[in-house]
PDB file of all heavy atoms in Angstrom:
ATOM      1  N   SER N1052      92.350 119.018 122.754  1.00 96.00           N
ATOM      2  CA  SER N1052      91.161 119.595 122.124  1.00 96.00           C
ATOM      3  C   SER N1052      91.066 119.194 120.662  1.00 96.00           C
ATOM      4  O   SER N1052      89.970 118.953 120.137  1.00 96.00           O
ATOM      5  CB  SER N1052      91.183 121.121 122.252  1.00 96.00           C
ATOM      6  OG  SER N1052      91.162 121.510 123.616  1.00 96.00           O
ATOM      7  N   ARG N1053      92.203 119.123 120.009  1.00 96.00           N
ATOM      8  CA  ARG N1053      92.177 118.712 118.605  1.00 96.00           C
ATOM      9  C   ARG N1053      91.704 117.274 118.466  1.00 96.00           C
ATOM     10  O   ARG N1053      90.989 116.934 117.518  1.00 96.00           O
ATOM     11  CB  ARG N1053      93.565 118.891 117.989  1.00 96.00           C
ATOM     12  CG  ARG N1053      93.893 120.347 117.693  1.00 96.00           C
ATOM     13  CD  ARG N1053      95.321 120.525 117.235  1.00 96.00           C
ATOM     14  NE  ARG N1053      95.569 121.896 116.791  1.00 96.00           N
ATOM     15  CZ  ARG N1053      96.770 122.463 116.732  1.00 96.00           C
ATOM     16  NH1 ARG N1053      97.849 121.765 117.089  1.00 96.00           N
ATOM     17  NH2 ARG N1053      96.902 123.701 116.317  1.00 96.00           N
ATOM     18  N   ILE N1054      92.109 116.419 119.374  1.00 95.00           N
ATOM     19  CA  ILE N1054      91.640 115.032 119.337  1.00 95.00           C
ATOM     20  C   ILE N1054      90.124 115.002 119.455  1.00 95.00           C
ATOM     21  O   ILE N1054      89.432 114.284 118.715  1.00 95.00           O
ATOM     22  CB  ILE N1054      92.282 114.208 120.469  1.00 95.00           C
ATOM     23  CG1 ILE N1054      93.781 114.057 120.225  1.00 95.00           C
ATOM     24  CG2 ILE N1054      91.626 112.839 120.587  1.00 95.00           C
ATOM     25  CD1 ILE N1054      94.529 113.438 121.388  1.00 95.00           C
ATOM     26  N   ASP N1055      89.587 115.802 120.354  1.00 96.00           N
ATOM     27  CA  ASP N1055      88.146 115.830 120.592  1.00 96.00           C
ATOM     28  C   ASP N1055      87.401 116.505 119.444  1.00 96.00           C
ATOM     29  O   ASP N1055      86.497 115.926 118.834  1.00 96.00           O
ATOM     30  CB  ASP N1055      87.874 116.562 121.911  1.00 96.00           C
ATOM     31  CG  ASP N1055      86.408 116.526 122.316  1.00 96.00           C
ATOM     32  OD1 ASP N1055      85.707 115.591 121.897  1.00 96.00           O
ATOM     33  OD2 ASP N1055      85.978 117.425 123.060  1.00 96.00           O
ATOM     34  N   VAL N1056      87.799 117.735 119.126  1.00 97.00           N
ATOM     35  CA  VAL N1056      87.071 118.531 118.134  1.00 97.00           C
ATOM     36  C   VAL N1056      87.317 118.015 116.716  1.00 97.00           C
ATOM     37  O   VAL N1056      86.378 117.699 115.975  1.00 97.00           O
ATOM     38  CB  VAL N1056      87.457 120.019 118.250  1.00 97.00           C
ATOM     39  CG1 VAL N1056      86.781 120.838 117.155  1.00 97.00           C
ATOM     40  CG2 VAL N1056      87.092 120.554 119.637  1.00 97.00           C
ATOM     41  N   ASP N1057      88.577 117.938 116.330  1.00 97.00           N
ATOM     42  CA  ASP N1057      88.884 117.475 114.976  1.00 97.00           C
ATOM     43  C   ASP N1057      88.478 116.017 114.779  1.00 97.00           C
ATOM     44  O   ASP N1057      88.064 115.619 113.685  1.00 97.00           O
ATOM     45  CB  ASP N1057      90.373 117.636 114.683  1.00 97.00           C
ATOM     46  CG  ASP N1057      90.798 119.099 114.629  1.00 97.00           C
ATOM     47  OD1 ASP N1057      89.953 119.973 114.885  1.00 97.00           O
ATOM     48  OD2 ASP N1057      91.972 119.369 114.327  1.00 97.00           O
ATOM     49  N   GLY N1058      88.619 115.235 115.856  1.00 96.00           N
ATOM     50  CA  GLY N1058      88.208 113.837 115.762  1.00 96.00           C
ATOM     51  C   GLY N1058      86.718 113.711 115.500  1.00 96.00           C
ATOM     52  O   GLY N1058      86.286 112.895 114.677  1.00 96.00           O
ATOM     53  N   GLY N1059      85.911 114.514 116.189  1.00 96.00           N
ATOM     54  CA  GLY N1059      84.465 114.476 115.969  1.00 96.00           C
ATOM     55  C   GLY N1059      84.091 114.917 114.576  1.00 96.00           C
ATOM     56  O   GLY N1059      83.252 114.288 113.903  1.00 96.00           O
ATOM     57  N   ILE N1060      84.712 116.001 114.108  1.00 97.00           N
ATOM     58  CA  ILE N1060      84.447 116.479 112.742  1.00 97.00           C
ATOM     59  C   ILE N1060      84.886 115.425 111.733  1.00 97.00           C
ATOM     60  O   ILE N1060      84.209 115.176 110.727  1.00 97.00           O
ATOM     61  CB  ILE N1060      85.175 117.811 112.500  1.00 97.00           C
ATOM     62  CG1 ILE N1060      84.575 118.911 113.391  1.00 97.00           C
ATOM     63  CG2 ILE N1060      85.102 118.209 111.033  1.00 97.00           C
ATOM     64  CD1 ILE N1060      85.356 120.206 113.394  1.00 97.00           C
ATOM     65  N   GLY N1061      86.007 114.769 112.015  1.00 96.00           N
ATOM     66  CA  GLY N1061      86.496 113.718 111.129  1.00 96.00           C
ATOM     67  C   GLY N1061      85.525 112.563 111.004  1.00 96.00           C
ATOM     68  O   GLY N1061      85.390 111.965 109.929  1.00 96.00           O
ATOM     69  N   VAL N1062      84.820 112.234 112.089  1.00 96.00           N
ATOM     70  CA  VAL N1062      83.825 111.161 112.024  1.00 96.00           C
ATOM     71  C   VAL N1062      82.682 111.556 111.093  1.00 96.00           C
ATOM     72  O   VAL N1062      82.205 110.748 110.287  1.00 96.00           O
ATOM     73  CB  VAL N1062      83.288 110.816 113.430  1.00 96.00           C
ATOM     74  CG1 VAL N1062      82.132 109.837 113.333  1.00 96.00           C
ATOM     75  CG2 VAL N1062      84.387 110.220 114.292  1.00 96.00           C
ATOM     76  N   LEU N1063      82.232 112.804 111.182  1.00 97.00           N
ATOM     77  CA  LEU N1063      81.176 113.270 110.275  1.00 97.00           C
ATOM     78  C   LEU N1063      81.600 113.114 108.821  1.00 97.00           C
ATOM     79  O   LEU N1063      80.849 112.596 107.984  1.00 97.00           O
ATOM     80  CB  LEU N1063      80.850 114.739 110.551  1.00 97.00           C
ATOM     81  CG  LEU N1063      80.190 115.094 111.876  1.00 97.00           C
ATOM     82  CD1 LEU N1063      79.986 116.603 111.954  1.00 97.00           C
ATOM     83  CD2 LEU N1063      78.854 114.378 112.038  1.00 97.00           C
ATOM     84  N   LEU N1064      82.812 113.557 108.521  1.00 97.00           N
ATOM     85  CA  LEU N1064      83.288 113.510 107.143  1.00 97.00           C
ATOM     86  C   LEU N1064      83.533 112.077 106.687  1.00 97.00           C
ATOM     87  O   LEU N1064      83.293 111.740 105.519  1.00 97.00           O
ATOM     88  CB  LEU N1064      84.560 114.349 107.005  1.00 97.00           C
ATOM     89  CG  LEU N1064      84.384 115.852 107.306  1.00 97.00           C
ATOM     90  CD1 LEU N1064      85.722 116.574 107.227  1.00 97.00           C
ATOM     91  CD2 LEU N1064      83.383 116.481 106.344  1.00 97.00           C
ATOM     92  N   ALA N1065      84.002 111.236 107.598  1.00 96.00           N
ATOM     93  CA  ALA N1065      84.236 109.836 107.240  1.00 96.00           C
ATOM     94  C   ALA N1065      82.926 109.138 106.896  1.00 96.00           C
ATOM     95  O   ALA N1065      82.835 108.393 105.911  1.00 96.00           O
ATOM     96  CB  ALA N1065      84.948 109.109 108.377  1.00 96.00           C
ATOM     97  N   TYR N1066      81.892 109.369 107.702  1.00 96.00           N
ATOM     98  CA  TYR N1066      80.606 108.744 107.410  1.00 96.00           C
ATOM     99  C   TYR N1066      79.966 109.333 106.159  1.00 96.00           C
ATOM    100  O   TYR N1066      79.272 108.631 105.418  1.00 96.00           O
ATOM    101  CB  TYR N1066      79.665 108.855 108.615  1.00 96.00           C
ATOM    102  CG  TYR N1066      79.763 107.647 109.502  1.00 96.00           C
ATOM    103  CD1 TYR N1066      80.578 107.640 110.625  1.00 96.00           C
ATOM    104  CD2 TYR N1066      79.076 106.483 109.198  1.00 96.00           C
ATOM    105  CE1 TYR N1066      80.692 106.523 111.424  1.00 96.00           C
ATOM    106  CE2 TYR N1066      79.174 105.351 109.994  1.00 96.00           C
ATOM    107  CZ  TYR N1066      79.992 105.383 111.104  1.00 96.00           C
ATOM    108  OH  TYR N1066      80.099 104.252 111.875  1.00 96.00           O
ATOM    109  N   ALA N1067      80.191 110.618 105.914  1.00 97.00           N
ATOM    110  CA  ALA N1067      79.701 111.209 104.674  1.00 97.00           C
ATOM    111  C   ALA N1067      80.315 110.505 103.468  1.00 97.00           C
ATOM    112  O   ALA N1067      79.624 110.178 102.497  1.00 97.00           O
ATOM    113  CB  ALA N1067      80.024 112.701 104.646  1.00 97.00           C
ATOM    114  N   SER N1068      81.615 110.259 103.545  1.00 96.00           N
ATOM    115  CA  SER N1068      82.309 109.591 102.446  1.00 96.00           C
ATOM    116  C   SER N1068      81.852 108.145 102.295  1.00 96.00           C
ATOM    117  O   SER N1068      81.570 107.674 101.188  1.00 96.00           O
ATOM    118  CB  SER N1068      83.822 109.651 102.677  1.00 96.00           C
ATOM    119  OG  SER N1068      84.519 108.953 101.675  1.00 96.00           O
ATOM    120  N   LYS N1069      81.750 107.422 103.417  1.00 95.00           N
ATOM    121  CA  LYS N1069      81.340 106.021 103.353  1.00 95.00           C
ATOM    122  C   LYS N1069      79.906 105.898 102.853  1.00 95.00           C
ATOM    123  O   LYS N1069      79.572 104.976 102.106  1.00 95.00           O
ATOM    124  CB  LYS N1069      81.492 105.357 104.721  1.00 95.00           C
ATOM    125  CG  LYS N1069      82.939 105.192 105.169  1.00 95.00           C
ATOM    126  CD  LYS N1069      83.040 104.463 106.492  1.00 95.00           C
ATOM    127  CE  LYS N1069      82.840 102.978 106.305  1.00 95.00           C
ATOM    128  NZ  LYS N1069      83.918 102.321 105.554  1.00 95.00           N
ATOM    129  N   GLY N1070      79.047 106.839 103.266  1.00 95.00           N
ATOM    130  CA  GLY N1070      77.668 106.787 102.825  1.00 95.00           C
ATOM    131  C   GLY N1070      77.550 106.919 101.323  1.00 95.00           C
ATOM    132  O   GLY N1070      76.758 106.220 100.673  1.00 95.00           O
TER     133      GLY N1070
END
Side-chain angles (χ1 to χ4, degrees):
S1052 298
R1053 284 173 173 158
I1054 293 171
D1055 186 25
V1056 176
D1057 293 4
I1060 294 171
V1062 173
L1063 292 179
L1064 298 176
Y1066 267 96
S1068 177
K1069 292 183 77 67

